[in-house]
């Protein structure tokens, strides 16, 4: 019989894995992820530890303090979800909302600062949770937060804020502004790799969450487990729930350390100054900004009206091919209408702005302009 000489494997080793793969260096000036500075890459390359080793727990405690600083909160229930910003969003909603309860979501464009309209809707729908995006990266809008927390609490509603695209780049004060749940992602202003998502819950939110009649739909994102894993529940022992992204936690700790060294206010100022410098440069080139009201512009992600007569995909493709720079088109409501440029954390510098303006000018010179 020949069977023995024939391999019992029906799937051979893939050829593509038998040669090395070199990742190119690119300037990531899209809406995220952003470039990871060497200090954070180095931190992430440290030796692996067990996820409940004393040093890992110490790193997690440092991360909690760093998030409390970045969020400007004293909340004990502060941690990082193992996953991207979407995981934190689900963690916030799954833990807070039970079947049959309603949630009110602000869709930018119709809301502005119309508190009366908000109050009307909160009174009408009696939601347990009101969701607002602080920095809307698809449109480049920075939403005002002041006064909304009080309004929500007046109607016994929790206030949930997504600050994935804005945190560290635009002012936010979780406790002072009455925010009940706040989350962000690691890959934007914090310049860490995607995969960890800082989140914090107020006492008011915890009261609702820990007095539920039913269990949250997700075991992985169940806050009673996560609270124990992150040492937020005051219990002496942390029990096994899941294996956290250990090297991702090294990186997150380092990114929060950089923010602490820089200082929040300095970081906010840097993003504002660089964005204003960029906006002036764009206007000088004859390009128009999508968000007309200067106060409503998100300092981390700028939306530029797609230059008329050009195919936006050709512009982004040209800039990637000839300048090694990623900028992106619109998303959702802004698809086909804008170009989006992200300048976050270490990428938020005037030298980078000059580089982008030069690349845009070059693209406008070389890309096809339709005769129509």
């Amino acid at each position: 019989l020949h069977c023995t000489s024939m391999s019992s494997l029906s799937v051979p080793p893939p050829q593509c894995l038998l040669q090395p793969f070199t990742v190119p260096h690119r300037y990531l000036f899209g809406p995220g992820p952003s470039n990871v500075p060497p200090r954070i890459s180095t931190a992430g390359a440290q030796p692996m530890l067990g996820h409940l080793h004393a040093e890992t727990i110490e790193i997690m405690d440092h991360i909690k303090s760093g998030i409390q600083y970045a969020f400007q909160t004293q909340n004990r229930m502060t941690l990082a979800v193992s996953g991207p910003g979407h995981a934190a969003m689900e963690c916030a909603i799954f833990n807070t909302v039970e079947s049959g309860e309603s949630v009110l979501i602000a869709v930018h464009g119709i809301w502005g600062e119309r508190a009366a309209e908000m109050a009307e809707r909160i009174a009408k729908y009696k939601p347990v949770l009101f969701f607002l995006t602080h920095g809307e990266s698809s449109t480049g809008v920075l939403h005002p937060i002041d006064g909304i927390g009080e309004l929500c609490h007046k109607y016994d509603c929790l206030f949930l804020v997504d600050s994935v695209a804005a945190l560290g780049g635009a002012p936010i004060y979780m406790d002072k502004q009455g925010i009940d749940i706040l989350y962000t992602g690691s890959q934007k202003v914090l310049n860490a790799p995607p995969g960890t998502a800082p989140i914090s819950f107020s006492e008011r939110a915890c009261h609702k969450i820990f007095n539920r009649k039913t269990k949250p739909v997700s075991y992985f994102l169940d806050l009673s487990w996560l609270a124990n894993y992150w040492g937020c529940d005051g219990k002496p022992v942390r029990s096994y729930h899941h294996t956290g992204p250990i090297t991702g936690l090294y990186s997150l700790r380092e990114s929060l350390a950089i923010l602490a060294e820089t200082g929040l206010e300095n970081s906010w100022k840097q993003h504002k100054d660089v964005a204003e410098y960029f906006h002036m440069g764009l206007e000088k080139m004859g390009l128009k900004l999508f968000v007309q009201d200067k106060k409503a512009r998100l300092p981390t992600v700028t939306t530029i009206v797609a230059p008329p007569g050009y195919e936006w995909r050709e512009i982004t493709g040209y800039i990637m091919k000839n300048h090694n720079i990623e900028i992106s088109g619109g998303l959702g409501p802004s698809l086909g209408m804008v170009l989006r440029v992200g300048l976050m954390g270490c990428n938020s510098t005037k030298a980078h702005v000059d580089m982008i303006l030069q690349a845009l000018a070059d693209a406008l010179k070389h890309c096809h302009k339709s005769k129509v």
Side-chain angles (χ1 to χ4, degrees), residues 34-287:
S34 49
N35 289 101
V36 178
R39 222 182 113 173
I40 295 176
S41 304
T42 305
Q46 293 180 104
M48 183 58 72
L49 288 170
H51 69 120
L52 289 173
H53 287 187
E55 299 83 355
T56 309
I57 287 173
E58 198 180 339
I59 288 168
M60 291 165 87
D61 289 342
H62 291 182
I63 287 170
K64 274 161 50 177
S65 306
I67 298 171
Q68 286 170 326
Y69 170 67
F71 285 11
Q72 286 299 290
T73 184
Q74 316 253 338
N75 292 337
R76 208 173 53 142
M77 195 61 68
T78 299
L79 53 107
V81 176
S82 304
H86 273 94
M89 179 195 269
E90 294 203 337
C91 180
I93 295 169
F94 289 171
N95 282 288
T96 316
V97 185
E98 294 196 70
S99 171
E101 292 177 331
S102 57
V103 175
L104 187 60
I105 297 175
V107 178
H108 296 321
I110 55 165
W111 291 76
E113 285 180 77
R114 288 179 259 173
E117 196 173 325
M118 286 192 210
E120 225 170 82
R121 291 178 188 216
I122 292 178
K124 182 180 169 188
Y125 298 108
K126 301 200 177 22
V128 294
L129 189 66
F130 175 58
F131 176 88
L132 182 77
T133 307
H134 178 212
E136 179 50 82
S137 61
S138 64
T139 54
V141 170
L142 181 72
H143 204 286
I145 301 282
D146 285 342
I148 300 175
E150 288 161 59
L151 180 69
C152 289
H153 300 152
K154 194 176 137 186
Y155 292 96
D156 202 23
C157 173
L158 295 172
F159 184 29
L160 164 61
V161 175
D162 171 319
S163 190
V164 172
L167 191 103
I172 194 162
Y173 308 86
M174 185 171 189
D175 291 356
K176 271 192 215 148
Q177 292 175 316
I179 300 168
D180 293 298
I181 310 172
L182 177 64
Y183 65 85
T184 191
S186 55
Q187 76 277 22
K188 308 275 185 171
V189 172
L190 290 174
N191 298 143
T196 57
I199 191 166
S200 182
F201 297 84
S202 70
E203 287 294 326
R204 189 187 257 107
C206 289
H207 182 76
K208 165 107 175 67
I209 290 166
F210 296 123
N211 287 290
R212 297 173 59 106
K213 294 172 190 63
T214 57
K215 280 186 176 173
V217 292
S218 170
Y219 166 81
F220 182 62
L221 298 170
D222 185 332
L223 194 60
S224 53
W225 281 99
L226 295 180
N228 177 260
Y229 184 45
W230 280 86
C232 304
D233 61 358
K235 289 184 182 158
V237 176
R238 302 191 188 199
S239 51
Y240 172 72
H241 172 242
H242 72 282
T243 305
I246 298 151
T247 55
L249 297 178
Y250 303 165
S251 308
L252 181 60
R253 183 202 174 277
E254 198 64 25
S255 66
L256 291 163
I258 293 171
L259 184 62
E261 284 165 27
T262 308
L264 260 181
E265 284 149 321
N266 292 333
S267 184
W268 294 338
K269 186 179 186 313
Q270 172 198 338
H271 286 81
K272 184 174 189 282
D273 292 351
V274 170
E276 282 171 3
Y277 176 71
F278 183 33
H279 299 163
M280 266 166 36
L282 288 166
E283 282 169 344
K284 247 188 231 139
M285 270 176 69
L287 290 167

